[in-house]
Amino acid sequence: MKSTRIFLAIFLIAICALNTNAQERSAAKPVKAVKFGKLWDAKGKLWTNAIVVIEGDRIRNVTTDTSAIPPGAEVIDLSRYTGLPGLIDVHTHMTIYTDETPGVPMLKQLTSNPPAVELFLARKGAMRTLESGVTTVRDLGADQYLDIAMRDLINRGEMTGPRMFVCGYGLYITNTPYKPGLNPPAGGIADGVPEVLRVVRQQIAAGADLIKMYASTGTDDDVTGFETYSYEEIKAAVDAAHQFGKKIAIHSYGPDGARDAVRAGTDSLEHATDMDDATIHEMAKRGTFYVPTIDHNRYYLDNWQKIGYANGFQEKTKAFMERNLETARKAHKAGVKFAMGSDAIYTMFGENTRELDWFVKAGMTPEQALRTATTNAAELLGKEKELGAVAPGYFADLVAVEGDPLADIDVAINNVRWVMKAGAVVADKTKDRGH
Ligand SMILES: [Zn+2]
């Protein structure tokens, strides 16, 4: 009897061991090795003949030793290219995509499409964003929680697109005397501290990753920057977001909203132009991220007829852009941290990284500009240990560009040939004619 029991115990242990082996085998993650001629890892090293070994969706290690390629690994040879970490755009509106249907102004398309149609169309913008080398976005304002739906569909593999961090409804005041026609999404309207607290909590309860607040006028062809919220309301939003472990992005076109947002402790400041020296100094001291979004006004100027703006806004927008660039120049000189945000909307997807060119114009080296879309952006997301660099344990988000992006930032903007997100190739132009 006793020996039968012992035999049974051994038998069960053996079965368990077999099971464990089977589980390990079925859970085995695909292993890939990507070879780059050069690799800028965003960790301070420029590699020559780098091999990035990937297991599943993560980077296992980076090496130059070909014997370190695991047997059976799929080898992807990109020796002709320079590797970069997947780029991060910290200011998009992925759900507000429009196509260029002739004769239908984009503004009108937006109001006439049902939400399900909007979301279905948005997959095209998502694809173009990936093709530009952007594998992660921070999406700053959507209607009807389409952003939460899109984030979740992408995470479930039902939709192809960049990894999204989203805010739900941005907070707006009811209206402004400067823009009587403005009709912000009803879900985001909040007046006074109690309503601000309620709307912040509603976004978090709905599943938002962060909070967005509009603290001034200014959008589309309107470059006014009148502060819309009081300091007390802004402070309430910042504190409520932080209480729940969420970050907050505050929109201000003008200097007053910027000053109050920075003083209230915002994590990032979007657009702000004409900031005074004291505000810039405060940003540098606190480590507040500046997301100037200079290039989105260039896009509006290039496409105003297709969008449907009334003629006559151009001079003011051009002057705003110059002041925006000048503010960026001052902020960079003062040591303010920048993150790259395109404010991509309508058909701007795919042009996400053009902002980097403005950063170089504002005085950055190409490498400093690349940091705004990698390590800095990852820090702003609170994901600096898994995004924005090519290193063990990080998501296998990689971009191959043709040329030297550290010598010429346009290489990173215009010469993207191949993109991997979380270990899967999502764009490949390496076999196109001429490359
Ligand atoms: Zn925006």
Side-chain angles (χ1 to χ4, degrees), residues 36 52 54 57-59 84-88 133-136 163 386-390 394-399 418-424:
F36 290 108
V52 183
I54 294 151
D57 61 358
R58 301 275 176 162
I59 294 166
L84 301 172
L87 303 176
I88 303 169
V134 170
T135 49
T136 301
R163 189 179 292 105
E386 49 185 4
L387 292 173
V390 183
Y394 279 69
F395 274 108
D397 292 1
L398 299 168
V399 178
W418 177 96
V419 183
M420 172 180 270
K421 181 197 154 201

Side-chain angles (χ1 to χ4, degrees), residues 322-340:
E322 275 168 34
R323 281 159 28 230
N324 203 350
L325 177 60
E326 189 49 37
T327 308
R329 195 173 281 134
K330 274 190 199 166
H332 172 61
K333 215 171 165 188
V336 173
K337 288 194 285 191
F338 281 61
M340 183 197 76

Side-chain angles (χ1 to χ4, degrees), residues 233-244:
E233 291 168 310
I234 295 170
K235 182 84 172 102
V238 170
D239 290 349
H242 289 171
Q243 187 191 350
F244 291 97

Side-chain angles (χ1 to χ4, degrees), residues 242-258:
H242 289 171
Q243 187 191 350
F244 291 97
K246 305 294 182 189
K247 299 203 180 193
I248 183 166
I250 299 186
H251 160 122
S252 180
Y253 268 45
D256 298 334

Side-chain angles (χ1 to χ4, degrees), residues 144-323:
Q144 313 215 28
Y145 296 124
L146 291 177
D147 54 348
I148 289 174
M150 189 167 175
R151 174 197 69 190
D152 293 349
L153 286 167
I154 289 171
N155 286 345
R156 283 163 55 181
E158 298 292 346
M159 197 170 179
T160 305
R163 189 179 292 105
M164 289 175 72
F165 295 91
V166 306
C167 69
Y169 288 99
L171 274 74
Y172 276 96
I173 63 159
T174 291
N175 213 328
T176 79
Y178 309 102
K179 219 181 170 193
L182 191 70
N183 186 21
I189 290 175
D191 298 304
V193 168
E195 286 190 27
V196 164
L197 295 178
R198 176 177 54 77
V199 175
V200 166
R201 289 168 185 160
Q202 277 175 343
Q203 306 322 304
I204 295 168
D209 301 295
L210 73 144
I211 296 298
K212 165 81 178 284
M213 181 181 226
Y214 293 86
S216 89
T217 57
T219 184
D220 282 304
D221 53 349
D222 167 16
V223 290
T224 59
F226 298 102
E227 186 172 13
T228 48
Y229 274 115
S230 69
Y231 172 75
E232 286 68 29
E233 291 168 310
I234 295 170
K235 182 84 172 102
V238 170
D239 290 349
H242 289 171
Q243 187 191 350
F244 291 97
K246 305 294 182 189
K247 299 203 180 193
I248 183 166
I250 299 186
H251 160 122
S252 180
Y253 268 45
D256 298 334
R259 185 195 58 239
D260 282 348
V262 170
R263 194 157 63 97
T266 190
D267 298 286
S268 74
L269 180 62
E270 313 298 309
H271 319 296
T273 291
D274 304 328
M275 282 193 282
D276 53 58
D277 291 345
T279 301
I280 289 173
H281 176 76
E282 192 68 17
M283 289 178 81
K285 202 176 87 185
R286 288 171 175 263
T288 313
F289 280 95
Y290 182 30
V291 184
T293 70
I294 302 164
D295 191 58
H296 80 125
N297 282 311
R298 187 275 313 158
Y299 169 80
Y300 296 155
L301 288 165
D302 285 354
N303 295 278
W304 68 272
Q305 282 163 306
K306 287 181 199 161
I307 299 169
Y309 299 152
N311 199 5
F313 74 101
Q314 294 93 328
E315 285 315 308
K316 276 184 187 163
T317 293
K318 273 181 205 158
F320 183 90
M321 275 183 78
E322 275 168 34
R323 281 159 28 230

Side-chain angles (χ1 to χ4, degrees), residues 102-120:
V104 185
M106 296 175 192
L107 285 172
K108 203 168 174 207
Q109 288 183 46
L110 284 183
T111 50
S112 53
N113 281 332
V117 172
E118 274 300 301
L119 188 55
F120 190 75

